[in-house]
Amino acid sequence: MPEDIPLLPGSPRRLSPQAGARGGQGPKHGQQCLRMPSPRAPGLQSSSSRDPGQPCGGESARSISVINNYLDANEPVPSEARLSRMHFHDNQRKVDYVLAYHYRKRGAHLAQGSLGHSLAVISNGEMGKEPHAGGPGDIELGPLDALEEERKEQREEFEHNLMEAGLELEKDLENKSQGSIFVRIHAPWQVLAREAEFLKIKVPTKKEMYEIKAGGSIAKKFSVVLQKLSSPLQPRVPEHSNNKMKNLSYPFSREKMYLYNVQEKDTFFDNATRSRIVHEILKRTACTRANNTMGINSLIANNVYEAAYPLHDGEYDSPEDGMNDRKLLYQEWARYGVFYKFQPIDLIRKYFGEKIGLYFAWLGLYTSFLIPSSVIGVIVFLYGCATIEEDIPSREMCNQQNAFTMCPLCDKSCDYWNLSSACGTARASHLFDNPATVFFSIFMALWATMFLENWKRLQMRLGYFWDLTGIEEEEERAQEHSRPEYETRVREKMLKESNKSAVQKLDTNTTECDDEDDEDKLTWKDRFPGYLMNFASILFMIALTFSIVFGVIVYRITTAAALSLNKATRSNVRVTVTATAVIINLVVILILDEIYGAVAKWLTKIEVPKTEQTFEERLILKAFLLKFVNAYSPIFYVAFFKGRFVGRPGSYVYVFDGYRMEECAPGGCLMELCIQLSIIMLGKQLIQNNIFEIGVPKLKKLFRKLKDETEAGETDSAHSKHPEQWDLDYSLEPYTGLTPEYMEMIIQFGFVTLFVASFPLAPVFALLNNVIEVRLDAKKFVTELRRPDAVRTKDIGIWFDILSGIGKFSVISNAFVIAITSDFIPRLVYQYSYSHNGTLHGFVNHTLSFFNVSQLKEGTQPENSQFDQEVQFCRFKDYREPPWAPNPYEFSKQYWFVLSARLAFVIIFQNLVMFLSVLVDWMIPDIPTDISDQIKKEKSLLVDFFLKEEHEKLKLMDEPVLRSPAGGDRSRSRAASSAPSGQSQPGSVMSSGSQHTNV
């Protein structure tokens, strides 16, 4: 049980900073001390009892931790006296975490100070009524008051349990009718040491940093030259100065304190590690009043607290503050002016944690890999520009002497037309439909494989440098924390199935858990309605996307027919319809992207996954599936379906009465596919980056600022001039995860790889976007978001599997684009099978079939034809028998020959690229050779270091014993006193060393 804490007389006062755990002189005479309850966690010393009236000063004050310093607004701390806005108001204890909540007092019409005189601080930090409080003047609780009172009791119990775990708390006095209160949390050394040992956090040992040697002399010289050449591109941060040096790390242990260089306990663990330790305690601390919920996430979900976040390391743009990691990141990473520099990945990992560090490392590698693909793409495009005059088919189409009279594009209003009028489209198609495109498709398939293999190597290298090996146990511990929604569903199920006594037992249960609590209580029967809803909703969303694509098709058909009726707009029908349809597709894609993101989150909540990791993986899969279909379905239609089901003259396929299915342009559908892909890709990047990622957060920030100004009636003017760091961070946007960032890049990766055969410039635009995207995301994390919790992870998770799947699917899609959409295969077949001289002369005439215009259906003939002479035969693009053949208009032998060649190309291309990808995968090892050698070397270095330290310890203890056996105890006590704190724990190395000496 916690020890009694004497009530403070009158209104709660801010306790003297000198009464803190770090000692100093005692408070003034008559001041009373707030004591920490006896901690139940191992490794903490219990505080001794004290008479309530005795002042707590001198030596005993140093052994007492002061917690729950209620700050009286009548005695504000002057901002000039504050050494740092990241510490408690005693200027000594660092704020490691902040809990924020909004409160409202019942009976807000009462005098402001009346409530303060009836409440006082009691042992667990609660505001309890004094004995004389109460009476006929009390106000009955309304619904909101009762809810607020219940939340207040839950907060008090939760904070009390945090103190039981050894944390120290400080919070402001609720001296207004309503407002935001911040509970500041500090983890003392004993708690940090205990949790670091429990979490097996690796920390540097005393051994000096050792060098990671290159594989050979040539590789070493090349590395030195490369480092000198890239020195202007390196960020000026200490952590990035030498990436060939590494500390010898070992999991923290209180029994082996002599291994670590603990010079200053306050700075031994960095801020990210301290906040991570506190967050682990917050996640596992229970609250019985809140239906026995477990952890801070459940309390936030139940609106007991509004937010929980670690503090940023000061302001990023304040000239008054000294240099800190946040300011360093802003200057060397989060500004557009340093776009040409490499990212300080080690500093990013140190400040934000391994999960965010891996994201930016992946984004940096992906962006750098876009450079060679962009260069090759530009070369392919320039090759098309250079050979456009040498392209025989486009020259034949542009030659007006050929006079290919084409069949009408629509019924009645459309006239016959000459193929030479489509000269511009044919010449433009050659820019993207040439032999170099096939080479570029093979290159991009191998590029994707190379990228993934190099990422695996970089991931392994970072895992070694960041000591991420062996964190499987940590990931398993993360699986133990159930989501609040899961706990609620389990509790509802238990309440339905249990009787009244079982319900009472559940309500009165405290921190003890049955074995059943570890089991997944929601069976497949409980989840079946959610799965059924997910299946039906996803099918509905996919059908909705296809319906919208079909609606755009109908728009294109009807608009083309309407524009063809007017002579003024007849010449620009194809350009107008294509441009407007693509813009409509882009707008629909952007709107549905936001809707599908919210729908995917709602569907995942219906499934009620047990852990956050399971929830995140299922959310990613659903969101990716919906956004994949949404982004690529219009492109897939143009690439593989448009113009395939048109029919032929005299037997066209109609959508509605009088509306024929649309055909491809005379030069093929590849040019239109390029336009569609480029506009959707560029539009998504520009609009989503500028509006959704920049504009929306700025609007939210402006809205919060206006809201704060309207509610600033009760704020202190001095406080508004010098806000605390927790106030500044509270006004920032909450961190919601990396899923949107990854999703945006994964969709872009699909644009770059899936249809690169039709748009070789896609890597160039992706590169330009990503150079801005890296700094945009960096600025958002440094300046606009609250500091995320440092999360350790060894890889990027399910995103790698998605990337690998897209890479394999891109081989198939590009094979079909080249074989079906482009004219590469028909040209190849004609050149080597039907051409008389082995060239492409006569290819256009070979691909055009004849039709007898007298066989047009009644009412579909052109009205008021402008052709000078009467047309007997018109041409259309297809491989069909002529009207004078025995089987007129049937598919010709050339058609089946070309079709078989297309299918053969798909099979050969797919197998060849897959074989080359497997070969590249086999040739590039997943683990770099130098890293695998260093892992083995580090183990031997660690053993040598252990033996050396043990030898020095034993030598220190043996020498006094050999000189004076009688004084062995005193010498041993001196050696023990000189050792760092935490070494004198039971079962420590001191005791084991003594036993070894006796042996």
Side-chain angles (χ1 to χ4, degrees), residues 221-404:
K221 290 179 181 179
F222 178 75
S223 178
V224 172
V225 172
L226 187 63
Q227 190 172 1
K228 289 182 179 179
L229 293 176
S230 63
S231 57
L233 306 178
Q234 299 291 345
R236 293 174 296 177
V237 296
E239 283 74 12
H240 205 82
S241 59
N242 192 350
N243 57 0
K244 293 295 182 181
M245 302 296 290
K246 186 182 184 299
N247 278 308
L248 188 63
S249 302
Y250 186 74
F252 186 83
S253 173
R254 288 175 291 178
E255 296 182 353
K256 297 182 176 60
M257 291 292 292
Y258 59 89
L259 297 177
Y260 318 109
N261 191 13
V262 187
Q263 296 180 352
E264 181 62 38
K265 293 180 179 178
D266 288 341
T267 58
F268 182 72
F269 296 106
D270 57 27
N271 292 341
T273 305
R274 294 174 68 101
S275 62
R276 175 177 156 228
I277 288 174
V278 175
H279 184 62
E280 287 291 332
I281 298 175
L282 290 172
K283 285 197 300 184
R284 69 168 186 256
T285 303
C287 181
T288 57
R289 292 179 183 269
N291 294 323
N292 204 30
T293 55
M294 182 68 70
I296 184 63
N297 295 332
S298 300
L299 296 177
I300 292 177
N302 295 329
N303 297 319
V304 178
Y305 289 97
E306 280 192 10
Y309 52 91
L311 288 182
H312 278 293
D313 289 357
E315 298 185 55
Y316 64 90
D317 57 354
S318 174
E320 301 174 359
D321 299 340
M323 183 58 67
N324 54 61
D325 287 345
R326 188 188 188 193
K327 186 179 292 186
L328 193 60
L329 282 171
Y330 177 74
Q331 293 179 356
E332 295 295 324
W333 178 55
R335 294 188 300 114
Y336 295 112
V338 293
F339 72 93
Y340 60 92
K341 289 189 176 183
F342 296 131
Q343 298 185 91
I345 295 297
D346 293 325
L347 184 59
I348 297 170
R349 170 252 179 177
K350 175 188 173 186
Y351 192 80
F352 292 111
E354 285 78 6
K355 188 172 185 179
I356 295 177
L358 284 175
Y359 163 71
F360 282 104
W362 174 85
L363 181 58
L365 182 69
Y366 171 49
T367 304
S368 63
F369 256 73
L370 285 173
I371 296 176
S373 61
S374 300
V375 172
I376 302 298
V378 171
I379 292 175
V380 170
F381 178 74
L382 293 178
Y383 171 81
C385 296
T387 58
I388 192 170
E389 297 297 335
E390 302 174 4
D391 184 45
I392 297 176
S394 61
R395 278 168 34 197
E396 289 184 350
M397 288 181 64
C398 296
N399 189 359
Q400 297 183 1
Q401 295 179 357
N402 289 331
F404 294 112

Side-chain angles (χ1 to χ4, degrees), residues 18-44:
Q18 287 81 3
R22 305 191 184 281
Q25 296 180 355
K28 296 179 181 179
H29 177 71
Q31 181 166 353
Q32 296 176 341
C33 178
L34 182 62
R35 290 167 174 265
M36 180 178 176
S38 300
R40 297 178 182 176
L44 294 178

Side-chain angles (χ1 to χ4, degrees), residues 57 84 566 712 734 891:
S84 170
N566 192 346
F891 287 119

Side-chain angles (χ1 to χ4, degrees), residues 666-931:
C669 281
L670 199 68
M671 186 62 196
E672 188 173 342
L673 175 62
C674 174
I675 296 173
Q676 184 106 2
L677 180 65
S678 59
I679 292 180
I680 291 178
M681 177 181 175
L682 296 178
K684 275 180 66 67
Q685 291 181 351
L686 293 176
I687 295 177
Q688 283 189 336
N689 287 354
N690 293 325
I691 295 181
F692 296 133
E693 289 199 34
I694 299 177
V696 173
K698 287 187 179 297
L699 289 176
K700 289 182 178 180
K701 191 174 182 179
L702 179 62
F703 177 75
R704 285 198 308 271
K705 185 177 180 181
L706 295 175
K707 184 179 179 181
D708 293 340
E709 290 178 355
T710 56
E711 297 178 355
E714 296 181 340
T715 58
D716 186 13
S717 60
H719 181 267
S720 60
K721 292 181 181 178
H722 302 279
E724 300 288 357
Q725 188 63 44
W726 44 86
D727 291 306
L728 296 173
D729 289 1
Y730 183 68
S731 63
L732 299 176
E733 281 289 308
Y735 168 73
T736 56
L738 289 170
T739 301
E741 316 299 335
Y742 272 115
M743 189 67 69
E744 180 183 351
M745 291 295 103
I746 295 295
I747 296 296
Q748 183 201 84
F749 183 79
F751 281 123
V752 169
T753 55
L754 289 177
F755 303 97
V756 74
S758 63
F759 190 38
L761 296 179
V764 179
F765 293 109
L767 175 63
L768 296 176
N769 173 80
N770 287 8
V771 170
I772 302 173
E773 181 73 21
V774 171
R775 308 302 161 178
L776 178 66
D777 287 346
K779 188 175 182 181
K780 180 169 64 175
F781 273 88
V782 173
T783 65
E784 298 176 3
L785 296 180
R786 295 174 190 161
R787 187 172 183 173
D789 293 305
V791 178
R792 285 171 60 84
T793 182
K794 61 182 179 180
D795 51 34
I796 60 175
I798 196 174
W799 296 111
F800 183 84
D801 299 327
I802 294 176
L803 283 169
S804 181
I806 292 178
K808 290 180 174 59
F809 186 63
S810 67
V811 178
I812 302 173
S813 65
N814 281 298
F816 277 98
V817 167
I818 296 172
I820 295 177
T821 312
S822 76
D823 283 339
F824 176 75
I825 299 301
R827 292 183 181 188
L828 213 62
V829 171
Y830 175 80
Q831 185 175 358
Y832 291 102
S833 300
Y834 295 99
S835 177
H836 299 291
N837 52 7
T839 64
L840 288 176
H841 287 286
F843 172 73
V844 175
N845 185 44
H846 179 75
T847 58
L848 298 178
S849 300
F850 287 90
F851 180 75
N852 190 345
V853 298
S854 62
Q855 297 178 357
L856 287 172
K857 289 185 178 180
E858 189 68 27
T860 61
Q861 298 91 345
E863 298 178 350
N864 302 321
S865 176
Q866 302 296 321
F867 271 64
D868 297 334
Q869 58 185 1
E870 184 179 356
V871 178
Q872 294 183 351
F873 296 97
C874 65
R875 309 293 295 271
F876 63 99
K877 190 173 183 179
D878 207 347
Y879 292 100
R880 291 181 181 269
E881 297 288 348
W884 53 83
N887 299 315
Y889 308 126
E890 294 290 332
F891 287 119
S892 62
K893 295 180 180 178
Q894 290 90 338
Y895 171 82
W896 299 109
F897 194 3
V898 170
L899 179 62
S900 59
R902 284 175 168 173
L903 296 178
F905 174 82
V906 169
I907 296 173
I908 295 173
F909 181 88
Q910 179 180 344
N911 286 278
L912 174 64
V913 175
M914 289 292 185
F915 169 75
L916 293 176
S917 300
V918 172
L919 183 63
V920 169
D921 189 1
W922 174 77
M923 292 176 62
I924 301 176
D926 293 345
I927 303 177
T929 307
D930 57 338
I931 296 300

Side-chain angles (χ1 to χ4, degrees), residues 421-435:
S421 62
C423 175
T425 306
R427 291 170 66 88
S429 297
H430 177 72
L431 298 176
F432 306 99
D433 189 3
N434 53 70

